[in-house]
Amino acid sequence: MTRLSLGLVSLLALSSAVSMVTAHDQQTFKMPGDHGYNEPSVDRPEFKPSTIKAPFLEQFTQNWSDRWTASEATKKTESQEEVFSYSGVWEVQEPTVYPGLKGDLGLVAKSPAAHHAISASLPEVIDNKDKTLVVQYEVKAQQGLECGGAYIKLLTDSPEGIKFKEFSDKTPYTIMFGPDKCGGTNKVHFIFRHKNPITGEYEEKHLQSTPLAKLDSSSNLYTLIVKPDQTFEVKINNEVRSSGSLLENFLPAVNPLKEIDDPLDTKPADWVEIAKIPDPTATKPDDWDEDAPARILDEKATKPSNWLENEEPEIPDPEVTKPDDWDDEEDGDWIPPSVPNPKCQNNGCGKWTRPLIANPAYKGKWSPPLIDNPAYKGVWAPRKIPNPGFFEDLHPSNFDKIGAVGFEIWTMQKDILFDNIYIGHSVKDAEALAAESWEIKFASEKKQEELANPPPKNLGGIPEFKEDPIGFVVGHLREFIDLARDDPFSAIQGRPIVTATIAAVVGVTLGLVLILVGLLTAAPKAGSKAVAAAKKTDEATADDKEGSESEGGAKAKEESAARRRNPTKSEE
């Protein structure tokens, strides 16, 4: 095995050692279903149905299927080329990942990579005129959520009634609220549909500054509060993440501009918008040479005393000779490969020329300076006229009446759980519901999570790597040395990280040394001869295909030998 091969083997050993350190040091976050996961023993509180009264409060207790209807609709893409059905399965069940409360059920979207839609009618239609609206619910992404939605829709009441089995993305809604995540999208939607009082058409108003969504295996609480003074708050886990005004923080704006540009107004032909013009009175100075080059020869430079003008920078390789089977008539004149001239390593060679320097007389092309344009009138803009479509709605919180609630989502991950849906007018009731359900549940979930994933132990007062990297390394090394003095084998078994690190350092050092030695002791002569031999076209090279070597190369040699034995008349 060559030194170069030994070096590569050592580097491979280093790679294996680093992988072992990484695998041992990495703290894997374990969840139910993962290898090595042990169900934590936690005394979970019992679920107790709430006694809070609200226009709509759903905890998915008995007879939930009488209240909720899964959609049987289809969904078409914008191009109308593909049609999808809402085939996602819905079930009501206890969580399978960190269940917080005993007997607590939730609505679960069971199907991965599927469209889900389900809705429920409100006991009474909600009219939010001059009232506070509170929308609150929990989302528990048991398998995480890489791509999908978990938002809720408050469906607009209709005189014809809402067709629950036909619920789709085309069903009119009043408010859409909740998390959405996929690719570069990660936000909490707050969208409301607003009716233009002049045209009667609806337009979606989107919250401009949306907070980031929080989606994990814990139950996360999403709360929307809209007050009659047109202010709003978006909360996640009881913390305000966004707030503002319906009249100021949404696009498109609720109210259009009072004035707009006159579409019939045109810019006058003599309107000048050019602020600066060349000075017509300026002239080029007499000493301005536009033809002067940017760089000139350095006249002060002198040829170095050790410059060898009679030597070429490259010379034919003296160690390479013409192959014995080279035929000048068939192969052409043989030219040896070139190598750097050893005489030029510390000296310049060849014809000496003066170096170039910046020309102090260079000024470039002359142009007159710019002056203020006396005819400048400014940037033209059309005149303003009253907006014929102007209206002013100072109370957009008086939303369209709400007749139902639903989830219409697409998701790549399964087992997204929804629970404790509150829709009403009382902030206190929503907070009380969160206190008696979500807060207790969330604390239980976090306790299970901590028991299933204990933090790494800090042995012997050695600091954490992030806090003190040098102290971390020195502490573990000293501990390893103390153990190795008494029992080297136990030290290696008990401290695999230190053992692998030492092996890695030794491996990389040895590998680099062997590679360096191998490169320095490589024979250049053999390589040069290989280059020379490559110039002969009828000689098969090492990288020729096997078939070409056995057929094409042999055939060429036979034809060349035949021509030598039996030259043609023209060759004679």
Side-chain angles (χ1 to χ4, degrees):
M1 184 180 289
T2 64
R3 294 184 182 93
L4 187 61
S5 300
L6 287 172
L8 293 175
V9 170
S10 300
L11 289 180
L12 288 174
L14 167 64
S15 176
S16 300
V18 172
S19 300
M20 187 171 70
V21 172
T22 303
H24 184 274
D25 192 50
Q26 184 177 5
Q27 294 296 324
T28 304
F29 192 77
K30 297 175 183 176
M31 294 176 59
D34 293 344
H35 178 69
Y37 172 80
N38 295 318
E39 185 73 30
S41 178
V42 176
D43 186 14
R44 293 185 292 143
E46 292 278 353
F47 165 75
K48 296 179 181 180
S50 178
T51 58
I52 294 173
K53 303 299 180 182
F56 184 83
L57 198 160
E58 179 62 84
Q59 294 184 296
F60 299 99
T61 51
Q62 296 178 352
N63 303 321
W64 72 273
S65 58
D66 295 339
R67 301 185 296 275
W68 291 82
T69 303
S71 175
E72 300 175 359
T74 57
K75 178 179 179 179
K76 294 183 179 180
T77 60
E78 293 182 1
S79 61
Q80 303 295 309
E81 293 179 357
E82 292 185 89
V83 178
F84 302 96
S85 61
Y86 288 92
S87 59
V89 176
W90 294 94
E91 291 184 11
V92 168
Q93 57 184 214
E94 283 195 58
T96 57
V97 178
Y98 306 135
L101 305 176
K102 291 181 181 179
D104 185 22
L105 305 178
L107 178 66
V108 183
K110 295 295 296 180
S111 306
H115 294 268
H116 294 73
I118 194 169
S119 56
S121 178
L122 302 186
E124 294 182 4
V125 174
I126 293 180
D127 186 353
N128 199 58
K129 185 176 182 181
D130 300 329
K131 297 177 183 177
T132 295
L133 178 66
V134 182
V135 181
Q136 181 173 280
Y137 71 108
E138 298 171 14
V139 179
K140 183 180 178 73
Q142 299 185 84
Q143 306 299 327
L145 185 59
E146 296 299 325
C147 188
Y151 40 79
I152 192 170
K153 287 185 176 182
L154 309 188
L155 306 183
T156 307
D157 187 44
S158 170
E160 297 81 16
I162 299 172
K163 299 178 181 179
F164 297 100
K165 289 190 175 182
E166 298 178 13
F167 176 39
S168 71
D169 60 326
K170 303 301 181 184
T171 303
Y173 67 88
T174 299
I175 288 176
M176 177 175 139
F177 169 66
D180 189 13
K181 181 181 180 182
C182 193
T185 298
N186 182 12
K187 60 184 177 181
V188 178
H189 288 291
F190 174 21
I191 307 170
F192 67 92
R193 293 173 72 245
H194 183 265
K195 185 177 181 180
N196 186 312
I198 297 177
T199 65
E201 296 180 353
Y202 281 89
E203 188 174 45
E204 290 182 349
K205 309 298 181 181
H206 293 249
L207 177 61
Q208 285 181 275
S209 180
T210 55
L212 293 177
K214 184 173 179 59
L215 293 162
D216 52 34
S217 57
S218 300
S219 296
N220 292 290
L221 185 70
Y222 287 86
T223 307
L224 169 65
I225 302 172
V226 182
K227 299 179 180 179
D229 63 358
Q230 312 314 307
T231 61
F232 72 90
E233 287 182 346
V234 173
K235 294 182 178 181
I236 302 178
N237 295 346
N238 284 335
E239 295 182 2
V240 177
R241 298 298 180 90
S242 180
S243 62
S245 169
L246 300 183
L247 297 170
E248 298 174 359
N249 300 104
F250 285 78
L251 285 177
V254 171
N255 296 311
L257 297 172
K258 291 183 178 181
E259 293 184 326
I260 60 172
D261 293 339
D262 185 355
L264 302 178
D265 192 17
T266 57
K267 184 172 69 174
D270 60 348
W271 191 278
V272 178
E273 291 185 317
I274 301 174
K276 298 283 186 178
I277 59 171
D279 185 356
T281 62
T283 57
K284 183 174 71 172
D286 295 337
D287 61 346
W288 193 288
D289 186 1
E290 291 185 336
D291 299 326
R295 298 177 66 81
I296 57 174
L297 295 174
D298 185 2
E299 298 297 336
K300 296 181 180 180
T302 57
K303 183 175 69 174
S305 59
N306 60 350
W307 191 276
L308 305 175
E309 282 197 341
N310 295 327
E311 294 288 343
E312 293 295 331
E314 291 188 346
I315 60 172
D317 189 345
E319 297 185 4
V320 179
T321 59
K322 184 170 71 172
D324 296 336
D325 60 346
W326 191 278
D327 191 325
D328 289 340
E329 293 184 359
E330 295 183 7
D331 303 324
D333 294 335
W334 181 79
I335 302 175
S338 298
V339 295
N341 191 341
K343 296 181 180 180
C344 302
Q345 289 184 357
N346 300 318
N347 308 296
C349 291
K351 184 179 180 181
W352 180 81
T353 57
R354 297 179 185 276
L356 294 174
I357 59 173
N359 185 0
Y362 174 75
K363 294 184 178 181
K365 185 174 177 61
W366 180 84
S367 59
L370 297 177
I371 61 172
D372 293 335
N373 187 355
Y376 175 68
K377 294 185 178 181
V379 178
W380 181 85
R383 62 175 173 266
K384 298 291 184 179
I385 60 172
N387 185 359
F390 173 74
F391 63 84
E392 191 172 42
D393 181 0
L394 299 179
H395 303 282
S397 66
N398 294 337
F399 302 115
D400 278 359
K401 294 179 180 180
I402 302 166
V405 59
F407 296 98
E408 186 269 317
I409 59 176
W410 180 87
T411 176
M412 284 296 295
Q413 281 69 41
K414 64 177 181 177
D415 291 341
I416 300 175
L417 184 146
F418 303 94
D419 199 6
N420 292 318
I421 305 171
Y422 173 93
I423 302 173
H425 306 291
S426 174
V427 175
K428 289 185 178 180
D429 285 349
E431 291 175 347
L433 176 64
E436 69 183 35
S437 58
W438 175 79
E439 291 181 10
I440 300 173
K441 178 192 303 184
F442 187 75
S444 175
E445 291 172 341
K446 286 301 180 184
K447 187 174 181 180
Q448 295 176 62
E449 203 173 273
E450 291 172 1
L451 291 175
N453 301 275
K457 295 181 180 179
N458 187 0
L459 300 175
I462 299 175
E464 295 291 337
F465 182 80
K466 294 181 180 180
E467 298 174 358
D468 184 3
I470 296 178
F472 175 84
V473 173
V474 172
H476 278 284
L477 186 59
R478 285 177 177 172
E479 186 183 45
F480 179 82
I481 294 173
D482 291 340
L483 292 173
R485 287 172 179 170
D486 298 331
D487 188 349
F489 185 74
S490 297
I492 293 173
Q493 279 191 326
R495 298 295 181 268
I497 296 179
V498 179
T499 304
T501 304
I502 294 174
V505 172
V506 173
V508 71
T509 304
L510 179 61
L512 292 175
V513 169
L514 291 175
I515 289 175
L516 182 61
V517 172
L519 293 174
L520 292 176
T521 58
K525 186 172 182 179
S528 301
K529 290 183 178 181
V531 173
K535 294 181 177 291
K536 181 173 170 57
T537 57
D538 62 354
E539 185 71 27
T541 61
D543 59 350
D544 285 337
K545 292 184 178 179
E546 190 174 335
S548 299
E549 182 178 356
S550 59
E551 296 177 10
K555 185 176 180 181
K557 287 183 177 180
E558 291 174 1
E559 291 176 354
S560 176
R563 284 198 299 270
R564 293 172 188 171
R565 292 192 298 268
N566 303 303
T568 61
K569 292 182 179 181
S570 58
E571 290 175 337
E572 292 175 346

